[in-house]
Amino acid sequence: MTDNQRDLEAGIQLDLNGRMTYSGYLRLDQLLTAQQPLSQPPHHDELLFIVQHQVAELWMKLIIHELKLATARLRVDDLDACLKILARVKQVQRQLFEQWAVLETLTPSEYLEFRGVLGESSGFQSLQYRTIEFVLGNKNAQMLKVFECDPPAQAQLREVLEAPGLYDEFLRYLARRGHAVPAARVERDWSQPYQRHDDLLPVFKRIYEERAKFWPEYHMCEQLVDVEESFQLWRFRHMKTVERIIGHRRGTGGSSGVAFLKKALDLEFFPELLDVRTVLGS
Ligand code: HEM
Ligand SMILES: N[C@@H](CC(=O)c1ccccc1NC=O)C(=O)O
């Protein structure tokens, strides 16, 4: 008898009536019935398209959960906790990035065979994606309009729009620690997109040049740069995936498609953290 067979005979729970089970705990009844292709007859590849998006939404759910805690810990000056959380966020972002390889096995001809069923739906309407963009500082009140048809979602997004984002909280933390953060970055209308402030440059220059003295701040700066780079890599790979699947067609959400996605690559979350690189040592 193998060890595994002995284990099975000795202790594995086989009478699961009325007990907590794997599928019960994970609500697999709901999770695994939520893939409902609309093409008729069902197109083989529509399941890939649905699963890819659902997995992305699940990872985004975790990212939001983590970023919420990260900003809350920053508010009470617990930078260590924030750093640990961001390390996890980065790993989730890696998953989201790697995931594109699966969708890239979908060819243009296969996608066009079921694209029609998507109607005017588009990733543009992803509440969780927009929430992450807002928490990271790319605020845009116009995006609320997309959620007019779903008032609770719109209200939730408005709350995120009007609250300080992760970078805002970091700058406020730095101010509390005695760094010379300009007043206009400690208090402002948080619903406005983050705008670069040149007076922050000497603040970060000092942190980088005296890193032994400001190690936690320095570490946080680098974590933020990592998060931003991972986000940009996701945007880039989305754009390249879209380019190879639909070329330069317009998007179902009404945008110009690839041209729109390319423009989004110019967006920056934490501009001064990249600017500081240019002035170090001078
Ligand atoms: C065949 C695959 C895909 C195609 C052809 C595609 C195409 C597009 C296009 C053309 C847009 C611009 C908005 C529009 O006019 O619709 C867009 C936006 C978007 N897509 Fe996709 N997409 C694909 C897969 C995905 C996947 C897997 C995700 C993961 C969640 C995703 C998330 C998004 C998001 C969040 C936006 C909004 C981006 C922004 O506002 O900057 N897309 N997509
Ligand atoms: N915008 C895509 C459609 C699309 O990709 C999509 C449609 C419904 C749900 C999610 C989607 N993914 C990303 O935009 C297109 O123009 O083909």
Side-chain angles (χ1 to χ4, degrees), residues 74 77 79 167-182 185-186 200 203-204 206-207 214 216-218 220-221 224 273:
L74 264 182
D77 296 339
L79 193 63
Y167 192 47
D168 298 319
E169 291 292 3
F170 180 48
L171 298 181
R172 285 159 71 82
Y173 164 86
L174 290 177
R176 290 194 297 276
R177 300 278 298 187
H179 294 278
V181 174
R185 290 296 166 272
V186 177
L200 264 177
V203 173
F204 288 131
R206 179 160 166 257
I207 290 173
F214 301 118
E217 292 95 320
Y218 169 69
M220 179 69 179
C221 289
L224 288 174
L273 288 179

Side-chain angles (χ1 to χ4, degrees), residues 190-222:
W190 307 115
S191 69
Q192 294 304 307
Y194 185 82
Q195 296 238 324
R196 118 179 326 102
H197 197 307
D198 285 341
D199 292 354
L200 264 177
L201 223 51
V203 173
F204 288 131
K205 191 166 186 283
R206 179 160 166 257
I207 290 173
Y208 274 78
E209 289 180 348
E210 297 178 45
R211 63 180 186 279
K213 191 167 161 197
F214 301 118
W215 194 268
E217 292 95 320
Y218 169 69
H219 190 180
M220 179 69 179
C221 289
E222 287 294 291

Side-chain angles (χ1 to χ4, degrees), residues 13-22:
Q13 190 56 255
L14 295 175
D15 178 13
L16 295 169
N17 261 330
R19 295 178 190 254
M20 180 59 80
T21 62
Y22 177 81

Side-chain angles (χ1 to χ4, degrees), residues 78-141:
D78 187 359
L79 193 63
D80 283 347
C82 183
L83 289 168
K84 173 171 186 303
I85 295 164
L86 292 186
R88 182 178 293 169
V89 168
K90 276 161 52 178
Q91 293 302 329
V92 177
Q93 287 182 300
R94 209 161 68 88
Q95 295 299 316
L96 280 165
F97 177 78
E98 293 297 341
Q99 208 183 302
W100 286 114
V102 186
L103 193 61
E104 279 169 352
T105 63
L106 181 71
T107 65
S109 32
E110 288 163 349
Y111 181 53
L112 286 177
E113 281 160 13
F114 66 85
R115 187 182 187 225
V117 304
L118 304 175
E120 287 168 353
S121 67
S122 158
F124 206 55
Q125 299 147 12
S126 166
L127 174 64
Q128 296 203 108
Y129 177 80
R130 205 56 64 200
T131 300
I132 296 172
E133 285 258 22
F134 281 8
V135 173
L136 295 181
N138 183 22
K139 304 274 181 81
N140 180 352

Side-chain angles (χ1 to χ4, degrees), residues 49 52-53 56-57 60 100 103 106 111 121-126 129-130 133 143 234-235 238 241-242 245-246 249-258 260-261 264:
F49 188 80
Q52 177 95 21
H53 283 86
E57 288 290 339
M60 288 194 267
W100 286 114
L103 193 61
L106 181 71
Y111 181 53
S121 67
S122 158
F124 206 55
Q125 299 147 12
S126 166
Y129 177 80
R130 205 56 64 200
E133 285 258 22
M143 290 297 174
W234 184 91
R235 278 189 183 136
H238 176 233
T241 305
V242 173
I245 297 182
I246 62 167
R249 289 167 194 268
R250 293 197 76 80
T252 48
S255 83
S256 56
V258 166
F260 167 83
L261 298 173

